[in-house]
Amino acid sequence: MIFGGYACMEAFVVRHSRPVFSHERTKDESQAKVELKRYEEACRTVDEALHALMTGADDDRNTILEAQCFMLYDPEFTSTISHLILDERYNAPHAVESAASMVIDRLSSNVEMFRENIADIQDITSRLVSVLTQESLADLRGLCRRSVIVADTILPSELLSLDPSLIGAICLDGGGPTSHVAILARAMDIPCVFALRDASRKVTGGSLVALDAFQAVLYVDPDEDTVSRIRKAMEHHRMQELEMEEDAVLPAMTRDGVHIHLECNIEGLDFVDGALKNGAEGVGLFRTEFLLMGDHEYDEDEQVGIYREVARRFARRGDVTIRTYDMGADKFVKGLGDEEANPALGLRAVRFCMSHEDMFRTQLRAILRASAEGGIRIMFPMISSVDELDEVLSFFNEVKLECRSQGLRFDENMPVGTMIEVPSAAITSDLLAGRVDFFSVGTNDLTQYTVAVDRGNEKTAYLYKECHSAMLRLLDLTRRNADAAAIDLAICGEMAGNPDLIPLVVGLGYRRLSMNPASLLPARRLIRGMECRKAEELAKKALDMTSCRDVEALLEKFNAETRDNEQGRH
Ligand code: PEP
Ligand code: MG
């Protein structure tokens, strides 16, 4: 399970697997001409499909589709394809893909300026190749009725582009609970299950499915009994949620009087309402890179508007921690950056930003300008060494100087923090602590990099353990180093909102927990029923254990006892 819930409705099936085609060259001129004809026909088919999509599309979408039609007949693109087919004897799909990468390579030298063109070429290329190979495209734009999406995989950018009211639930063949698409589904309050292996091959689009996301069971063509059982469970779950909503105004205070500050992680303005409704006491993590995933490119003024608006909405609740762009890895932004063999270890987050200074400067200026009224903190992701942090801070200081010289107002005392999400950062947290005002521990990446397990890969999910002894030691070390330097400390990975792990997190000394808005209510309820003293004993025992299985068993026992006590009180 990624996010519990139920659904019973039609399935919408999506597959992304890349079309496979041979790279064999044509043998003679007549075969080459056949390939050229195939390519020309594919162009006409794609052109018609794009025009059909334009009917009924809104203005923004139409502009994109028009740009794609334009790109389809771009002289450089088409002449390269013809040359590859006729002179180099490439077959049509191979020629299209090769021409596209040549054009993209040329445009990539000026990423900011041509980002949209690159995305258009990528889209046109996959449309042409799909027609030429007769392999259907994963076209989520066909989703027009509320359905359960059954997919091999979904990119966070694709999920963001959909109307959430049309998504009843999401079932993925692969994925992991801390992958960004999972985080997003949870934030959008969409029941979601992963690792269903070949569900997207087995389910037929349009057939009825029933999902119990708590048990991670998807019923295909369910009988009447199953449908009625799922519908009843859905109703019961809704009632429980309503009951918890009443607690949103209560402080997250343990039974022995320790206040745990509950903040939220958001991916944009759309997530603010839900977070406020569930009683968030501030934003512990604003994942700004999600602003890059839509069709619109936000300029400096527009970014200032968004950051200011979030701070204004949280003015009476708490600070808003804006994390600078953390694109890369599974947060792939179309048209931005090259495809890398090992993206999680590649040009991600501040590494990307420091190599694209114009883009980074724009964001830093926007955050600074938005900070003028206070209530904003800035945070840098993926810092892996003191030197890297120093370089980022020195660039940030340059941008501050520039703003000052232009008479732009900003909060001179805006707290500056770094995420601790790379093992090297946790291990050297004593050194980093002297340079920043706060730490926020990103356990999603910290786990992935500490135990060397891809957070989105279901095949190795059994090894992805946030309560691995190495993780517990790093969490403990970071907390001690933050305390020694008297800087603020938070935790913002999914671990912070996981009811099974919250006692451990609190017991390890974390008092500021930032989580998915959907996790706030259950977390508040759990904390109010828990004793901090017992959580500390639990953490101490866990730190002394050698096996992760033993830690899990210890947690299970602790949580079962807490649940029993809770039931006893009601
Ligand atoms: C993390 O890594 O724990 C984190 C909060 O950042 P993200 O999930 O966006 O990578
Ligand atoms: Mg991270």
Side-chain angles (χ1 to χ4, degrees):
M1 174 188 79
I2 287 174
F3 185 50
Y6 304 90
C8 189
M9 61 193 75
E10 198 172 277
F12 184 86
V13 178
V14 178
R15 290 193 52 79
H16 290 72
S17 51
R18 257 169 98 96
V20 189
F21 53 84
S22 131
H23 283 197
E24 211 177 308
R25 299 196 185 207
T26 49
K27 297 213 167 37
D28 53 34
E29 198 183 332
S30 74
Q31 272 189 3
K33 284 189 175 152
V34 172
E35 287 304 293
L36 186 65
K37 202 150 186 292
R38 273 190 351 109
Y39 158 64
E40 287 165 353
E41 273 165 17
C43 276
R44 278 191 289 279
T45 310
V46 170
D47 193 7
E48 280 165 21
L50 289 172
H51 278 92
L53 284 172
M54 279 183 207
T55 329
D58 59 26
D59 285 354
D60 279 354
R61 183 109 208 97
N62 257 328
T63 315
I64 295 168
L65 293 168
E66 269 164 20
Q68 292 191 356
C69 278
F70 190 70
M71 196 47 80
L72 187 61
Y73 296 112
D74 173 78
E76 184 191 346
F77 187 43
T78 51
S79 65
T80 310
I81 294 171
S82 305
H83 159 72
L84 290 173
I85 294 179
L86 293 176
D87 304 330
E88 303 294 333
R89 298 276 154 83
Y90 280 27
N91 64 35
H94 188 195
V96 170
E97 276 208 346
S98 306
S101 43
M102 287 178 200
V103 178
I104 288 172
D105 273 355
R106 200 180 54 69
L107 292 181
S108 296
S109 51
N110 193 340
V111 163
E112 269 101 66
M113 200 157 174
F114 292 106
R115 245 181 76 199
E116 281 171 7
N117 305 35
I118 291 174
D120 289 336
I121 293 179
Q122 284 166 334
D123 250 22
I124 281 297
T125 304
S126 55
R127 283 179 192 282
L128 283 168
V129 171
S130 142
V131 172
L132 286 163
T133 57
Q134 296 187 329
E135 288 209 23
S136 64
L137 262 185
D139 201 346
L140 280 157
R141 284 165 292 204
L143 180 70
C144 50
R145 256 202 308 275
R146 190 165 161 78
S147 313
V148 170
I149 296 180
V150 183
D152 50 355
T153 172
I154 295 190
L155 289 173
S157 53
E158 289 176 310
L159 185 51
L160 271 183
S161 71
L162 298 175
D163 173 356
S165 70
L166 296 180
I167 314 172
I170 297 174
C171 301
L172 299 178
D173 290 355
T178 64
S179 63
H180 285 97
V181 73
I183 291 172
L184 208 51
R186 217 173 277 139
M188 292 162 91
D189 235 335
I190 301 170
C192 185
V193 289
F194 71 107
L196 289 179
R197 292 209 288 266
D198 50 2
S200 73
R201 282 187 195 283
K202 291 203 168 136
V203 178
T204 317
S207 59
L208 179 70
V209 289
L211 175 73
D212 176 345
F214 288 105
Q215 303 297 326
V217 181
L218 178 69
Y219 301 93
V220 184
D221 295 321
D223 58 25
E224 272 176 33
D225 284 353
T226 308
V227 171
S228 111
R229 185 165 51 79
I230 294 288
R231 293 218 161 112
K232 262 194 209 134
M234 209 183 310
E235 193 45 39
H236 180 64
H237 179 55
R238 178 82 203 113
M239 299 305 287
Q240 278 184 326
E241 281 187 332
L242 284 176
E243 208 181 286
M244 270 199 290
E245 277 172 22
E246 289 168 12
D247 293 356
V249 289
L250 303 174
M253 181 89 83
T254 62
R255 279 156 50 76
D256 46 354
V258 178
H259 180 240
I260 309 295
H261 198 77
L262 292 190
E263 300 184 314
C264 63
N265 299 345
I266 58 166
E267 285 74 31
L269 264 174
D270 289 350
F271 299 85
V272 168
D273 280 345
L276 287 171
K277 189 173 107 214
N278 291 350
E281 297 169 79
V283 177
L285 169 64
F286 182 172
R287 290 187 166 98
T288 57
E289 59 280 2
F290 281 81
L291 299 177
L292 301 171
M293 291 184 194
D295 295 331
H296 184 73
E297 220 168 308
Y298 294 91
D299 64 20
E300 184 178 315
D301 287 346
E302 288 172 314
Q303 284 187 47
V304 175
I306 294 172
Y307 303 150
R308 248 188 214 148
E309 178 60 7
V310 177
R312 190 189 65 76
R313 305 278 310 275
F314 275 91
R316 277 193 290 278
R317 295 287 185 97
D319 289 345
V320 172
T321 308
I322 302 181
R323 178 176 74 182
T324 58
Y325 297 136
D326 176 26
M327 73 288 275
D330 67 337
K331 280 177 290 195
F332 175 68
V333 179
K334 236 181 173 186
L336 207 67
D338 299 328
E339 274 190 34
E340 295 175 288
N342 209 344
L345 302 180
L347 203 61
R348 195 186 153 179
V350 285
R351 302 170 186 183
F352 184 93
C353 289
M354 289 298 281
S355 64
H356 293 79
E357 288 189 355
D358 288 347
M359 183 183 187
F360 198 24
R361 179 178 293 106
T362 304
Q363 184 179 36
L364 294 177
R365 284 173 59 94
I367 297 174
L368 281 165
R369 286 174 53 198
S371 74
E373 310 304 324
I376 287 185
R377 315 196 304 169
I378 187 169
M379 175 162 80
F380 300 109
M382 283 288 290
I383 293 292
S384 60
S385 69
V386 164
D387 295 329
E388 190 177 33
L389 178 61
D390 283 348
E391 276 168 34
V392 171
L393 291 176
S394 130
F395 185 68
F396 183 46
N397 282 332
E398 262 176 48
V399 180
K400 275 184 171 175
L401 270 175
E402 183 185 285
C403 288
R404 259 185 230 118
S405 69
Q406 292 172 356
L408 296 168
R409 270 194 336 117
F410 62 88
D411 177 3
E412 292 280 355
N413 299 315
M414 171 167 58
V416 177
T418 177
M419 289 199 66
I420 301 290
E421 54 181 346
V422 179
S424 56
I427 295 165
T428 56
S429 50
D430 55 333
L431 309 176
L432 297 172
R435 291 163 154 81
V436 288
D437 302 307
F438 68 93
F439 284 160
S440 185
V441 184
T443 49
N444 305 334
D445 278 315
L446 190 59
T447 310
Q448 139 160 296
Y449 296 127
T450 301
V451 295
V453 172
D454 177 352
R455 61 196 264 189
N457 184 345
E458 74 286 0
K459 295 193 190 90
T460 47
Y462 70 100
L463 290 170
Y464 185 94
K465 301 275 185 205
E466 288 140 317
C467 59
H468 189 291
S469 300
M471 277 296 290
L472 301 188
R473 290 178 186 199
L474 291 180
L475 286 168
D476 182 50
L477 177 68
T478 305
R479 200 268 307 149
R480 282 191 279 115
N481 285 332
D483 282 357
I487 63 167
D488 200 20
L489 174 71
I491 178 165
C492 63
E494 291 300 287
M495 187 178 187
N498 181 342
D500 294 337
L501 300 175
I502 285 175
L504 191 56
V505 169
V506 170
L508 284 166
Y510 288 76
R511 300 288 177 263
R512 193 163 175 148
L513 274 47
S514 189
M515 60 192 70
N516 217 294
S519 307
L520 286 163
L521 294 175
R524 174 172 283 103
R525 177 160 280 199
L526 185 127
I527 288 165
R528 287 176 60 78
M530 187 179 103
E531 272 187 55
C532 190
R533 186 184 52 80
K534 286 202 178 147
E536 281 166 357
E537 280 166 18
L538 170 90
K540 201 160 172 298
K541 274 192 203 152
L543 273 167
D544 285 341
M545 285 177 159
T546 45
S547 133
C548 194
R549 265 193 213 111
D550 291 347
V551 176
E552 282 172 335
L554 178 76
L555 284 173
E556 218 164 277
K557 189 162 167 279
F558 182 92
N559 292 330
E561 279 168 15
T562 313
R563 270 193 305 271
D564 287 350
N565 290 342
E566 181 71 9
Q567 268 157 14
R569 274 198 300 278
H570 285 289

